[in-house]
Amino acid sequence: MPFFRKIEGDKGWGGIWRITETVEDLCGMLPRGDVYRAHAYRRFMAERRRLEYVSVRILVYQLLGEEKQICYTPTGHPYFADGSLQLSISHTSGYASVLFSKDHETGVDIEAFSERILRLKDRLIGPEEHAESVYDILLHWSAKEAAFKILDQEGIDFRRNLTVSGLACAASRDHAEADGDFRLAYHLSGGETGVFPIHYETTSDFVLTYTFRKLA
């Protein structure tokens, strides 16, 4: 099951790929698949990382209808070499996602459903936030990851510098499909402040969040 879901935001778009294929199968879906195969095996030792690398390239190709060279800044932020669109990338166990925009910075994050997140609650949830369920905590974490990708700064503390508000997600293991909107405020050590609008989607397998910020 390749292409899983399209992301349709008000300021950009993207998609989610469910990774069920082998690296060989995935490379067979791309033009110049031998080039991507060689790069994946040369760059990554872990099979999971190879799958994520190739599935992101397939998403880009399917959504845009052409190959795009993906480069990275020294901080690891992805961008298209031709500068045609803003780009954000995320992957988790069994899934990859991308987000594009013409005139907004983009931040997307996808996190596999796991009750292990409960052990990290004290490191992620600040005193002004409220999160008890696995979905609530995952959405807080995912939103902070998405915002962090746009802020692209070192030293950001997810608990102290990023604060979620307005989240009311009714998703549970029995009723996992949900979507909605909330906000994330940032207050950085250098004095920079602002608010990101966050959109979220949940399934029984993952939570997805994304956000945009107008290009300066």
Side-chain angles (χ1 to χ4, degrees), residues 129-194:
E129 298 174 315
H130 304 282
E132 297 298 332
S133 73
V134 174
Y135 276 106
D136 283 344
I137 299 171
L138 280 172
L139 284 169
H140 277 67
W141 180 29
S142 183
K144 294 180 181 188
E145 289 282 359
F148 179 77
K149 291 176 180 180
I150 293 179
L151 294 170
D152 197 22
Q153 295 184 27
E154 294 183 357
I156 295 177
D157 186 302
F158 278 22
R159 189 173 185 273
R160 293 185 302 161
N161 300 131
L162 306 176
T163 304
V164 164
S165 64
L167 173 59
C169 179
S172 67
R173 261 318 214 179
D174 295 330
H175 305 281
E177 294 282 340
D179 65 88
D181 301 279
F182 57 97
R183 296 173 301 282
L184 184 149
Y186 60 93
H187 34 281
L188 308 185
S189 57
E192 183 182 355
T193 62

Side-chain angles (χ1 to χ4, degrees), residues 55-147:
S55 60
V56 164
R57 273 70 190 169
I58 290 175
L59 265 175
V60 169
Y61 179 67
Q62 287 209 349
L63 290 166
L64 301 181
E66 60 179 317
E67 287 185 86
K68 292 278 191 182
Q69 182 183 356
I70 299 174
C71 303
Y72 296 86
T73 67
T75 60
H77 186 80
Y79 65 94
F80 287 128
D82 63 6
S84 58
L85 294 168
Q86 296 296 302
L87 169 67
S88 185
I89 293 170
S90 184
H91 24 68
T92 191
S93 178
Y95 292 90
S97 61
V98 297
L99 185 68
F100 315 124
S101 179
K102 293 181 179 179
D103 51 11
H104 284 73
E105 296 175 271
T106 57
V108 67
D109 187 73
I110 188 168
E111 301 290 345
F113 183 94
S114 172
E115 294 189 355
R116 288 178 295 179
I117 193 66
L118 294 170
R119 299 200 297 266
L120 301 178
K121 177 184 175 181
D122 291 342
R123 293 167 53 186
L124 297 171
I125 308 302
E128 300 177 20
E129 298 174 315
H130 304 282
E132 297 298 332
S133 73
V134 174
Y135 276 106
D136 283 344
I137 299 171
L138 280 172
L139 284 169
H140 277 67
W141 180 29
S142 183
K144 294 180 181 188
E145 289 282 359

